Amino acid sequence: MASLTTLIARLDLWLTRALDAAVIGLAGLLFVLLNIAVVSRFVFNNSVSWSEELPAHILAALTFIGAAYLTRTSEHLGFDAVVRILPPGVKRAVMAGNLILIAGFGVLLAWYGGIAAASFGSRMMISVDLPMALFRYTMPVGGALIALISVTRLAGLLTGQVHPDDLLPESDA
Amino acid sequence: MFLDPGWIILILLVVLLIAGLPIAFVLGVTAATLIIIDPAVVPQIIGLIPFGGANNYLLVAALLFMIAGEVMNQGRIAEKLIAFASSLVGHIRGGLAHVNILTSLFFSEISGTATSDAAAIGSVMIPQMKKRGYPAAFAAAVTSTSATMAIIVPPSLNLILYAYVANASIAELFAAGILPGILVCGLLMATAYIISVRKGYPTEGEFRLKRVLETGKDAAIPLTLPILILVGILGGIFTATEAGAIAAFWSIVLAAFLYRTIRLGNLLDTFRIAGKRSAMLMFIVATSTLLGWYMTNQQIPQTIAQAILGLSDNYWVVLLAINVFFLLAGTIIHGTPAILMLVPIFLPLADQLGIDRVHFGLILTINLGIGQQTPPVASVVLITCAIAKISIAKIIPSLMAFIGAMLVALILVNLFPAIVLWLPSVIL
Amino acid sequence: QTVLQINSSLPDGSFAHVFLLEYESRLEAATEGAIDVQIFMSNTLGSEEDVLQGLGLGTHHASLSASAIAQINARTAIFDLPYLFEDRAAVQTFAASPAGEMMAAGFDGTGMMLAAMWDNGFRQITNDVRPIVVPADLVGLKIRTPTSRQRVEMFNTLGANATPLSFGEVYSALDQGVIDGQENPAEIVESARLYEVQDYMSLSNHVYLPTFLVFGEPYLNGLDPALRETVMTVAAELAPWTFDWGTETDARVIAELGDRIAINEVDFAAFQAAAAPLYESPTFVDVIGADMIAATRAALGIE
Ligand code: NA
Ligand code: NA
């Protein structure tokens, strides 16, 4: 039992690091690509063909990978004024219910997102030779991670290892 | 179905929101529930539409302006602007309050969000104001309300988002935000002046042209950024996204090489912060697009618009109702979900009444700006209270006067559309 | 009552909108109200990429699409070949020919079926430098194009400097002189008020682009066979009406624009000759397929 907990904690640490690196990398990549697009249009007078399609797809990838990260760190925006003042037992029950809903939505994103991504087959993007599925699969991957993270935290909540206050949503942005 | 889908949506949204489910999931779970129980809708849609919502070139601009604002914040560039503002308005009674407000106007030309404004200016100005004998609550209230100019004056994250949802021109909205921003600035300064005279708050020395020129030289470089952004976007030279890229790049050059206030570690930090904030915003966009898809499919927005018009089709009555609704909504939800959820419902109504879309966008934005100042959900107030080290309850009396000034601005913008529409008609 | 939701990326008041409204009234009459047609313009039910994908997944019923359809069925990119169709009669000749059937067969296995090809119009060049009469007049001009490799290569081959830009930026880019000109149907020049920032419109007819009414196979398979037959037939029978309506509207729009912008005819044969290398270019041939190009040339009698 103890070793299982350690294993989960270690996997959780590595997952969080990977998500952190992915978010920094994707944000940095967008920053670099948009500046390349600007320089090539205004300095070299030669518009890059991918200037709209590629950044938009990368932003979508950042959205779903980032959503998993924010689920892990409880940084999604929410309204916490009422739950915050609930009695501890009720609070725990409400937070458990929320985790189940989050996990359920993650499963839907993973399942139906997987079907949709697979339907793109080997189709290429219009302006650059990258498969559309490369970006489309970030949604089912993000959804699966959201479900996985929520289930783990639900187990932690029910076994008393996670405090319900750590699961409250971020109340400002 | 046993219940009208519109009512199921409303009930689910309210119950899940109060239960503390994050807003993105409130929207997603509500949409998924209806899609699954409605036999006429194929559930595969859940795999398609959220991606389409996030796959958006226009909203890349939001990420880039967040990077720019965060670099400006971490790079302590607000200090140069404060010195310049001090030379201009420091001699007026209640000098530091005016400096605070004017700096916010400068800074809001760079930043797209009120929270980065409040953090950057508040962290310098609030301690300084406390030292000069201003009550902490007054200092925090001035910072908090003036930071709202960030979402009215271009570049504004709220206006970018509104342009996307309402299919309106960003350049027009940005041009439209300038005069209302200056109006808010003027009304806040007038309010601060009246309070300062009554309470006998100090001035900051005499007005000297030499000081204006000296500090102006320092502030000129950071101020090139808003000029670049405004001229570029309003002149149609670059898109909002390109302007965001230039703003982010230029702010990094200033902070890293000219002022040497940030290092590589800070830079990764700004990418992390902007990346996470952007993902938070975009995931709400993604799930609200799914809910929006279902509502459009059921033609719910048109039905609501017809129902409201059935109660009254008087322009002023409906406009008043819209304002009251937005103000109330703004007290419990944030700008991003408010725009994504409310605009699709109220825009058909505004169109039918002949309210200009740009005018409507600014009315909405000022309402949401006031909403940022009113608890329970008051992100900007929370930040300034944290910096001033006071409780929310303590700030409220001071806040009231400044919120009053913003309400005056809101009423004027409602009554006189020219405040919004005149500038775009002249410069675009 | 069966619901038929039709999506289009084109806006209210466009050719596509007019044709869909006509289709709605004809189909609802033909089925005596057994079907309820709902029209969603301006991508209100999802981006075009998502709508087209949704046809195969069964989440969307039908779409009236233009150039985006080439992503699904590359043979429709035949309409990217410039100076191929001299008038609308040629387009209808093509549609009824074996080449037209070959194009429709290109939808096999994509999850959607082509019901009809409707009018959308010829594209014209506007600019604020000089009237374009022969290919040499294009040399050095910065012409905005959509993000399409074929259109970019076409304008670069003719000597212009093709600049891909999203349509939302076009008006202000023209106003600021960032670009010299653009190419679109005359109706767009009027509705987007491009005549305010352009001096010349040259009736180049360089590309003809139809709209394609496509239905998702899951949706069609769920319809009663008789209803399905009516849905497809009414769509096909509407086609000639759309081409007539398009011809009349084009003539009216161009006449109206005559007061606001200088309009000239071009030397179509000279452009056709200058564009000849494109018919061999891999940018076109690899996408469309040599067989499709050959069949089209045969159908239109072009050597
Ligand atoms: Na701003
Ligand atoms: Na609030």
Side-chain angles (χ1 to χ4, degrees), chain B residues 105 107-113 117 149-157:
Chain B
L105 182 67
F107 204 82
S108 52
E109 301 258 3
I110 299 168
S111 128
T113 59
D117 242 41
M149 286 186 282
I151 68 166
I152 302 171
V153 174
S156 150
L157 197 61

Side-chain angles (χ1 to χ4, degrees), chain B residues 76-414:
Chain B
R76 302 205 297 274
I77 286 168
E79 290 165 29
K80 322 270 172 202
L81 302 176
I82 289 171
F84 180 50
S86 179
S87 75
L88 288 174
V89 294
H91 62 283
I92 304 172
R93 174 73 49 197
L96 286 184
H98 302 298
V99 173
N100 190 327
I101 296 166
L102 190 62
T103 309
S104 288
L105 182 67
F106 293 155
F107 204 82
S108 52
E109 301 258 3
I110 299 168
S111 128
T113 59
T115 43
S116 62
D117 242 41
I121 296 164
S123 56
V124 185
M125 287 304 298
I126 292 176
Q128 223 171 313
M129 287 177 77
K130 281 166 79 177
K131 214 182 291 171
R132 292 281 288 151
Y134 293 85
F138 177 79
V142 167
T143 309
S144 174
T145 46
S146 62
T148 291
M149 286 186 282
I151 68 166
I152 302 171
V153 174
S156 150
L157 197 61
N158 291 50
L159 289 177
I160 292 174
L161 208 56
Y162 175 80
Y164 158 63
V165 181
N167 197 15
S169 149
I170 289 196
E172 245 178 274
L173 284 163
F174 276 15
I178 295 174
L179 287 183
I182 292 172
L183 175 69
V184 169
C185 182
L187 288 168
L188 290 178
M189 284 175 80
T191 309
Y193 180 76
I194 294 168
I195 296 176
S196 299
V197 169
R198 279 204 197 150
K199 306 261 166 140
Y201 294 151
T203 62
E204 304 299 311
E206 281 176 19
F207 180 85
R208 279 181 301 137
L209 191 63
K210 186 157 161 275
R211 220 175 114 221
V212 174
L213 294 177
E214 269 169 15
T215 56
K217 219 166 50 191
D218 271 353
I221 296 171
L223 283 175
T224 50
L225 199 53
I227 293 168
L228 202 70
I229 293 170
L230 285 185
V231 172
I233 297 180
L234 301 186
I237 300 167
F238 30 78
T239 65
T241 307
E242 287 170 337
I246 293 168
F249 179 75
W250 187 230
S251 60
I252 289 174
V253 169
L254 288 186
F257 300 108
L258 190 66
Y259 302 132
R260 297 177 184 275
T261 43
I262 65 166
R263 295 153 174 269
L264 182 67
N266 304 105
L267 196 60
L268 292 183
D269 234 18
T270 61
F271 284 164
R272 176 187 294 115
I273 293 171
K276 280 163 96 175
R277 268 195 209 147
S278 171
M280 187 180 77
L281 164 82
M282 292 305 298
F283 193 52
I284 297 174
V285 172
T287 57
S288 77
T289 308
L290 186 63
L291 184 60
W293 182 89
Y294 181 78
M295 292 184 23
T296 309
N297 187 289
Q298 300 292 309
Q299 311 191 334
I300 291 174
Q302 290 85 339
T303 313
I304 295 177
Q306 288 316 316
I308 294 174
L309 288 175
L311 297 177
S312 169
D313 58 359
N314 179 290
Y315 178 93
W316 296 108
V317 173
V318 177
L319 196 60
L320 180 68
I322 289 177
N323 275 281
V324 170
F325 189 86
F326 283 159
L327 275 177
L328 291 177
T331 63
I332 60 155
I333 48 178
H334 293 81
T336 301
I339 289 173
L340 292 166
M341 288 191 294
L342 300 181
V343 172
I345 291 175
F346 284 96
L347 201 61
L349 196 60
D351 283 348
Q352 286 210 29
L353 285 176
I355 303 173
D356 185 278
R357 285 193 173 198
V358 171
H359 186 206
F360 187 69
L362 264 298
I363 291 176
L364 174 70
T365 303
I366 298 172
N367 271 299
L368 296 179
I370 296 172
Q372 287 179 331
Q373 307 296 330
T374 53
V377 174
S379 44
V380 193
V381 179
L382 284 178
I383 289 182
T384 50
C385 283
I387 297 170
K389 301 192 179 74
I390 53 166
S391 71
I392 291 254
K394 281 231 179 80
I395 193 181
I396 286 178
S398 303
L399 210 50
M400 301 290 264
F402 292 100
I403 290 178
M406 293 181 65
L407 284 171
V408 172
L410 176 66
I411 292 168
L412 290 174
V413 165
N414 268 287

Side-chain angles (χ1 to χ4, degrees), chain A residues 78-109:
Chain A
F79 177 75
D80 65 349
V82 174
V83 256
R84 206 170 264 287
I85 54 169
L86 291 176
V90 182
K91 192 194 279 184
R92 188 178 294 266
V94 170
M95 296 320 279
N98 286 350
L99 283 175
I100 292 169
L101 289 177
I102 293 173
F105 188 65
V107 168
L108 292 176
L109 285 184

Side-chain angles (χ1 to χ4, degrees), chain A residues 20 24 35 41-42 51 56-57 59 63 70 75 77 79 83 94 98 105 112 116 135-136 139 169 171-173, chain B residues 16 19-23 28 43 46-47 51 55-57 63 115 237 242 245 249 272 276 280 282-283 334 377 379:
Chain A
D20 187 61
I24 294 175
N35 274 289
R41 180 144 97 90
F42 292 102
S51 65
H57 278 76
L59 183 66
T63 302
L70 296 165
E75 286 177 291
L77 208 59
F79 177 75
V83 256
V94 170
N98 286 350
F105 188 65
Y112 290 116
F135 297 93
R136 289 273 171 178
M139 189 166 97
S171 64
D172 65 78
Chain B
L16 295 176
L21 187 67
I23 290 173
I46 298 169
F51 189 93
N55 179 3
N56 187 309
Y57 171 73
L63 169 78
T115 43
I237 300 167
E242 287 170 337
F249 179 75
R272 176 187 294 115
K276 280 163 96 175
M280 187 180 77
M282 292 305 298
F283 193 52
H334 293 81
V377 174
S379 44

Side-chain angles (χ1 to χ4, degrees), chain B residues 42 45 48 52 235 239 293 297, chain C residues 5 45 50 54 58-60 169 176:
Chain B
V42 180
I45 199 73
L48 212 50
T239 65
W293 182 89
N297 187 289
Chain C
Q5 297 182 329
L45 278 189
D50 284 338
T59 59
H60 293 77
E169 312 295 332
Q176 297 299 316

